């Protein structure tokens, strides 16, 4: 094989499904990423909310390497301790009763959708299978989770989609318009990440919970992006005192390795039984060992820090000229400006700051361990780019 040119060979050989920025990331340390040309970048994207403890996180690396040195994969027909340890920790920290492990956020949501339908099938028989999701939501890229995603733009090219999803405005009126005697669940993100860091109203969430409880409709919270400390709470629903029936998560859970989790609370504890669901790689011991070291360190002290850092960034971003609004919670921040978001992201990149976009907004998902000097550096660059 000849010499690789990352940029031209990527276009030649890798499916062109991503609108990549013209940078290759090769290394990193803490909250800094290093490009193939040696240039340093301050990381306010964490690989889309994944590397929450930064790069070269020693505790996570130790946990992962220790497990690799023992065994890299165990099939799910046998018991394996890393999976049990992580499931127990997640249950203790959330009150969930059972955890199903997958490899991604979309798959965690697939499990939630199957669990909700099975719960209803077991109790009410056939036909009660509809799930209400919200307009502007994002739940994944598989056919079922695309079907669950409430954005028309995703519903054109890959028909036919999965039947049984209805898209509501994020109000009780909106929910009532979609509700029928076939409704078995409602699935929401408390903050819609991909569609602009749209924060749902807390009263709406509480009313929705009550509405669901009264009708035995399952409340599913998609915490794939908002979870694992991102919003200043271990899971964002905790900020509202909600009692969901199913919570899904992924992204930061694995600290950089692929893992997703579908957490089943009281009502759905025994819904899935042997043969109902499965995954070859789901609950991989290396991914689980890494995830354990992540969740185990997201304690109250860290969560308070995340809240403080989020408030500091938000206050200072609000002061920047041409910023029209700042949305989000904790270290999940959306910035509305008078300029195109992609242009801002490109200009930040040129100045050594990596940020994300989400529809019309600039989106920040910095590492939870970001420091004050690093936040000040990012604010300086954001100020230069947005106010110019
Ligand atoms: C990223 C994301 C997903 C999909 O996760 P994948 O790991 O890419 O499958 C689902 N829901 C939400 C809210 C997300 O942010």
């Amino acid at each position: 094989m000849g010499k690789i040119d990352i940029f031209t060979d990527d276009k030649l050989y890798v499916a062109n499904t991503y609108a990549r920025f013209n940078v290759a990331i090769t290394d990193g340390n803490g909250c800094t990423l290093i490009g193939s040309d040696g240039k340093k970048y301050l990381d306010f994207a964490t690989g889309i909310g994944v590397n929450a403890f930064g790069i070269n996180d020693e505790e996570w690396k130790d946990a992962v390497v220790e497990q690799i040195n023992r065994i890299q994969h165990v099939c799910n027909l046998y018991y394996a301790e890393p999976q049990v340890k992580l499931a127990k920790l997640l249950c203790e920290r959330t009150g969930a009763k059972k955890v199903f492990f997958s490899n991604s956020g979309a798959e965690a949501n697939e499990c939630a959708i199957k669990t909700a339908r099975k719960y209803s099938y077991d109790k009410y028989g056939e036909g009660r299978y509809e799930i209400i999701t919200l307009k502007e939501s994002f739940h994944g890229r598989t056919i079922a989770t695309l079907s669950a995603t409430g954005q028309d733009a995703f519903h054109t090219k890959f028909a036919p989609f999965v039947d049984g999803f209805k898209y509501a405005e994020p109000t009780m009126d909106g929910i009532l318009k979609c509700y029928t005697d076939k409704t078995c669940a409602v699935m929401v993100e408390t903050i819609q990440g991909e569609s602009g860091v749209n924060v749902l109203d807390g009263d709406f969430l509480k009313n929705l919970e009550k509405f669901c409880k009264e009708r035995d409709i399952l409340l599913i919270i998609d915490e794939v992006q908002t979870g694992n400390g991102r919003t200043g709470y271990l899971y964002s629903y905790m900020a509202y005192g909600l009692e969901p029936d199913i919570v899904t998560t992924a992204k930061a859970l694995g600290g950089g390795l692929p893992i997703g989790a579908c957490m089943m609370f009281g009502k759905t504890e025994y819904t899935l039984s042997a043969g109902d669901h499965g995954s070859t790689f789901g609950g991989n011991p290396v991914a689980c060992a890494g995830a354990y070291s992540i969740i185990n360190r997201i304690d109250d002290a860290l969560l308070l820090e995340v809240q403080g850092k989020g408030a500091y960034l938000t206050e200072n971003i609000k002061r920047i000229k041409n910023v029209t609004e700042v949305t989000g919670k904790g270290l999940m921040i959306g910035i509305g400006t008078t300029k195109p978001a992609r242009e801002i992201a490109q200009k930040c990149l040129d100045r050594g700051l990596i940020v994300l976009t989400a529809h019309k907004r600039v989106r920040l998902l910095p590492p939870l361990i970001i420091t004050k000097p690093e936040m000040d550096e990012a604010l300086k660059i954001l100020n230069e780019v947005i106010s110019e």
Side-chain angles (χ1 to χ4, degrees):
M1 192 165 82
K3 202 164 171 286
I4 285 277
D5 180 281
I6 305 173
F7 301 100
T8 52
D9 285 341
D10 180 280
K11 288 202 172 57
L12 277 174
Y13 298 111
V14 180
N16 298 147
T17 55
Y18 303 102
R20 298 199 205 279
F21 288 94
N22 208 26
V23 167
I25 307 292
T26 56
D27 298 275
N29 202 33
C31 305
T32 300
L33 303 177
I34 300 166
S36 54
D37 57 357
K39 187 172 163 178
K40 287 184 176 172
Y41 298 90
L42 191 49
D43 181 17
F44 266 56
T46 50
I48 317 193
V50 172
N51 303 323
F53 283 81
I55 314 300
N56 268 319
D57 167 24
E58 291 297 335
E59 268 192 68
W60 176 84
K61 279 201 303 187
D62 286 348
V64 164
V65 168
E66 188 191 302
Q67 183 56 45
I68 284 179
N69 281 328
R70 297 182 72 173
I71 187 165
Q72 75 274 33
H73 171 78
V74 179
C75 100
N76 277 312
L77 298 174
Y78 305 92
Y79 292 90
E81 189 180 74
Q83 204 180 109
V84 185
K85 265 180 77 176
L86 178 60
K88 189 175 177 199
L89 181 65
L90 285 169
C91 287
E92 284 171 357
R93 297 289 305 273
T94 62
K97 300 291 186 198
K98 294 277 187 288
V99 184
F100 177 85
F101 290 112
S102 59
N103 314 291
S104 67
E107 287 172 282
N109 287 336
E110 289 273 349
C111 179
I113 292 164
K114 283 178 74 174
T115 305
R117 287 185 168 184
K118 172 100 186 323
Y119 173 84
S120 201
Y121 176 86
D122 288 346
K123 206 159 165 184
Y124 302 98
E126 273 177 29
R128 193 177 177 271
Y129 59 82
E130 285 179 358
I131 298 179
I132 301 174
T133 63
L134 298 183
K135 296 207 165 139
E136 301 301 308
S137 57
F138 180 81
H139 297 296
R141 300 278 187 171
T142 63
I143 287 286
T145 57
L146 270 185
S147 305
T149 292
Q151 300 183 51
D152 292 341
F154 286 106
H155 296 154
T156 46
K157 297 178 222 165
F158 311 106
F161 285 92
V162 176
D163 190 22
F165 292 96
K166 290 193 164 175
Y167 317 114
E169 296 287 344
T171 61
M172 284 317 296
D173 266 0
I175 297 290
L176 277 169
K177 276 190 193 136
C178 293
Y179 166 68
T180 71
D181 57 5
K182 289 183 182 166
T183 307
C184 71
V186 176
M187 175 155 73
V188 301
E189 306 149 82
T190 66
I191 304 173
Q192 296 177 331
E194 295 306 310
S195 56
V197 194
N198 309 321
V199 183
L200 293 194
D201 178 58
D203 286 337
F204 164 64
L205 288 169
K206 283 306 274 183
N207 290 333
L208 178 62
E209 174 187 51
K210 186 162 172 279
F211 176 88
C212 288
K213 273 214 171 91
E214 286 166 1
R215 289 161 184 79
D216 198 19
I217 292 170
L218 300 181
L219 179 60
I220 305 170
I221 314 252
D222 177 345
E223 298 261 11
V224 172
Q225 190 159 155
T226 50
N228 314 303
R230 176 55 53 195
T231 68
Y233 295 83
L234 181 59
Y235 293 100
S236 69
Y237 74 83
M238 293 171 171
Y240 306 96
L242 297 174
E243 291 177 2
D245 299 297
I246 298 174
V247 171
T248 59
T249 193
K251 288 195 167 90
L253 177 63
L257 287 175
I259 184 171
C262 177
M263 297 185 256
M264 291 156 274
F265 289 68
K267 272 187 187 176
T268 50
E269 175 173 4
Y270 299 108
T271 299
L272 296 183
S273 45
D276 283 337
H277 202 38
S279 164
T280 298
F281 288 121
N284 170 273
V286 180
C288 283
Y292 185 90
S293 100
I294 299 290
I295 296 300
N296 204 27
R297 279 180 288 160
I298 304 178
D299 57 12
D300 288 346
L302 178 67
L303 293 171
L304 273 178
E305 272 179 38
V306 170
Q307 291 173 20
K309 290 172 188 179
Y312 179 75
L313 283 170
T314 301
E315 255 166 50
N316 283 287
I317 293 165
K318 275 185 182 157
R319 297 205 182 104
I320 297 174
K321 197 182 126 199
N322 298 332
V323 167
T324 52
E325 56 182 346
V326 183
T327 64
K329 205 182 197 114
L331 287 173
M332 179 168 183
I333 298 172
I335 311 173
T337 78
T338 53
K339 299 174 174 186
R342 174 93 185 183
E343 186 186 306
I344 291 173
Q346 180 63 55
K347 285 184 173 168
C348 284
L349 185 71
D350 296 341
R351 287 169 170 77
L353 173 67
I354 292 191
V355 300
L356 296 162
T357 63
H359 284 196
K360 286 187 185 133
R361 295 200 180 110
V362 173
R363 176 173 40 152
L364 307 182
L365 301 172
L368 306 185
I369 56 158
I370 195 84
T371 63
K372 175 112 184 335
E374 287 164 335
M375 289 194 286
D376 288 338
E377 173 67 17
L379 285 167
K380 190 173 138 260
I381 296 170
L382 284 168
N383 185 46
E384 278 169 24
V385 169
I386 298 173
S387 72
E388 84 178 359

